[in-house]
C-alpha cells in the first residue's frame, strides 16, 4: 500500500536532510560517521532540489529515479552499519536505523503520482 504521496515525500526528504545534518551533534557520531552523514545530507539535498516533484526546484531527475537512488542508498547504509561501523554501537545503530527509515519511506511512497514531464 503506497500511502506517501510525492508531495509528502518531499516534506519527509527535507526533514531527513535536517536530521542528517544535525545527527553528528545529536547522537555523538564518530568522525568518520559524521563526515559521511554530512556528505549524505548534502547529496540528499541536491537530489531533492533536482527531482521533478513538488519539493524540487530544478525538476531534472524523474521521481522514479529519485526512488531508485534512495533504495540503493538505504541498502548501502544498512550494509555500512554492519561492516564499516561494526564495533561502534552508536554509529552502527544510527546507520542501520537511518537506512531502514529510508527503505520504509521508499516502500510506502507512490512514485507513480509524480509531476508530468514537460518537454
Amino acid at each position: 500500500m503506497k500511502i506517501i504521496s510525492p508531495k509528502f515525500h518531499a516534506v519527509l526528504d527535507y526533514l531527513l536532510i535536517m536530521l542528517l545534518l544535525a545527527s553528528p551533534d545529536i547522537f555523538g557520531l564518530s568522525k568518520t560517521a559524521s563526515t559521511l552523514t554530512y556528505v549524505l545530507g548534502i547529496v540528499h539535498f541536491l537530489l531533492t532540489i533536482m527531482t521533478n516533484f513538488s519539493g524540487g526546484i530544478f525538476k531534472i531527475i524523474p521521481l522514479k529515479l529519485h526512488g531508485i537512488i534512495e533504495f540503493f542508498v538505504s541498502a548501502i547504509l544498512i550494509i555500512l552499519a554492519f561492516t564499516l561501523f561494526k564495533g561502534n554501537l552508536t554509529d552502527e545503530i544510527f546507520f542501520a536505523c537511518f537506512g531502514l527509515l529510508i527503505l520504509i519511506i521508499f516502500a510506502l511512497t507512490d512514485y507513480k503520482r509524480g509531476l508530468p514531464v514537460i518537454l
Side-chain angles (χ1 to χ4, degrees), residues 45-88:
F45 175 72
L46 293 173
L47 175 66
T48 301
I49 65 170
M50 292 174 32
T51 297
N52 186 19
F53 68 161
S54 63
I57 297 170
F58 301 107
K59 302 187 187 311
I60 298 168
I61 299 171
L63 182 59
K64 287 182 182 181
L65 178 58
H66 176 108
I68 292 167
I69 291 168
E70 286 184 339
F71 172 77
F72 283 108
V73 167
S74 69
I76 290 167
L77 291 177
I78 293 168
I79 291 167
L80 286 175
F82 300 110
T83 56
L84 179 64
F85 298 112
K86 186 172 180 69
N88 183 324

Side-chain angles (χ1 to χ4, degrees), residues 10 20 24 27 30 85 88 95 111:
L20 278 168
F27 300 109
S30 69
F85 298 112
N88 183 324
F95 282 100
Y111 292 100

Side-chain angles (χ1 to χ4, degrees), residues 8-24:
F8 186 58
H9 185 104
V11 172
L12 291 175
D13 274 349
Y14 285 107
L15 291 173
L16 287 175
I17 291 162
M18 289 187 287
L19 176 62
L20 278 168
L21 296 176
S23 290

